[in-house]
Amino acid sequence: DYVDNGPDSAETLARLRELTRDFPRNVVCLMGNHERMLLDFLADPVTRGPRWLRGGGGATLASFRVDPEPVQAGGKPEDFRDAAKRLRAAMPDGLGEWIASLPLTWHSGNLWAVHAGADPVHPMEAQTARVLLWGHPEFEAVPRADGVWVAYGHVEMDRPAYEEGRIALDTGAWRTGRLTACAIRPDGRHDFLQT
């Protein structure tokens, strides 16, 4: 998730967009459920706005200098439409399209990177967007039987984990200040890196 958690969503998106532009062979940004909720809000602010705001959308609005108060206070439909209009106007040209174009997966060999996890009984190519963005109830309980390793975030953990085909990396950087990455070698050895 690049938005909604903490006060710097606008700056985070700008930096990630810049990195993907400047280093397209080395940087891949995946879409998370919060980016999906942002896009849904822009497309249908009245219906999708309340859920996005419950998930932290007010912080994103504020980061783009759009006052979230009218919609956070249980706003009227016109308040939601106005907030979406003002957010669209505040976003740099092409940012919405860049977010919408973010892939749901990246893979190399038997390693797949996704936002929230995967259904352990289906091949990675057959995963639904909903599962990749929001997770699956059996993902953390049932090991994959196909030799695939899935690196993911979405669920905050006290410590990163590397076990049973899962690589959990979300250590709540927006809240804890601990950003976690995993360096994985071709032979499977790995090191967790944290700031």
Side-chain angles (χ1 to χ4, degrees), residues 17 44 48 65 73 83 89 111-113 115 126 149 156-157 168 171 175 179 183 189:
R17 187 177 179 201
D44 184 0
R48 303 299 188 123
R65 294 177 171 60
L111 172 66
W112 286 72
H115 174 69
W149 282 79
E156 284 188 31
M157 312 284 242
T171 50
R175 186 179 45 75
L179 179 64
R189 290 182 300 132

Side-chain angles (χ1 to χ4, degrees), residues 152-177:
Y152 69 104
H154 186 65
V155 178
E156 284 188 31
M157 312 284 242
D158 291 331
R159 293 177 302 163
Y162 189 100
E163 58 193 14
E164 297 185 325
R166 294 180 297 271
I167 305 170
L169 296 168
D170 190 340
T171 50
W174 70 277
R175 186 179 45 75
T176 66

Side-chain angles (χ1 to χ4, degrees):
D1 298 315
Y2 312 127
V3 299
D4 302 344
N5 295 321
D8 299 316
S9 296
E11 294 84 358
T12 300
L13 289 172
R15 180 66 176 135
L16 293 173
R17 187 177 179 201
E18 178 181 89
L19 287 170
T20 59
R21 182 195 67 219
D22 294 348
F23 304 101
R25 293 178 51 138
N26 297 334
V27 177
V28 175
C29 293
L30 300 178
M31 183 181 293
N33 62 314
H34 287 263
E35 289 73 42
R36 181 73 260 162
M37 287 190 293
L38 167 61
L39 294 171
D40 292 344
F41 167 73
L42 290 171
D44 184 0
V46 175
T47 304
R48 303 299 188 123
R51 180 179 189 179
W52 182 53
L53 288 165
R54 286 191 303 273
T60 298
L61 287 171
S63 78
F64 282 97
R65 294 177 171 60
V66 175
D67 182 9
E69 186 58 34
V71 289
Q72 284 184 320
K76 302 177 186 83
E78 57 267 21
D79 294 328
F80 284 95
R81 284 190 286 271
D82 182 60
K85 180 180 175 183
R86 292 184 332 186
L87 178 58
R88 256 187 242 96
M91 292 172 74
D93 286 344
L95 181 61
E97 293 80 6
W98 178 80
I99 296 169
S101 73
L102 293 175
L104 299 177
T105 65
W106 173 89
H107 75 280
S108 177
N110 69 334
L111 172 66
W112 286 72
V114 304
H115 174 69
D119 182 336
V121 300
H122 289 101
M124 291 305 295
E125 297 84 359
Q127 301 293 320
T128 66
R130 179 169 179 71
V131 166
L132 295 169
L133 291 172
W134 293 93
H136 189 276
E138 296 179 351
F139 174 66
E140 292 181 358
V142 177
R144 296 191 67 83
D146 58 6
V148 167
W149 282 79
V150 179
Y152 69 104
H154 186 65
V155 178
E156 284 188 31
M157 312 284 242
D158 291 331
R159 293 177 302 163
Y162 189 100
E163 58 193 14
E164 297 185 325
R166 294 180 297 271
I167 305 170
L169 296 168
D170 190 340
T171 50
W174 70 277
R175 186 179 45 75
T176 66
R178 287 182 294 120
L179 179 64
T180 301
C182 188
I184 304 170
R185 291 168 189 77
D187 65 3
R189 290 182 300 132
H190 68 283
D191 290 304
F192 287 115
L193 310 169
Q194 289 188 322
T195 60

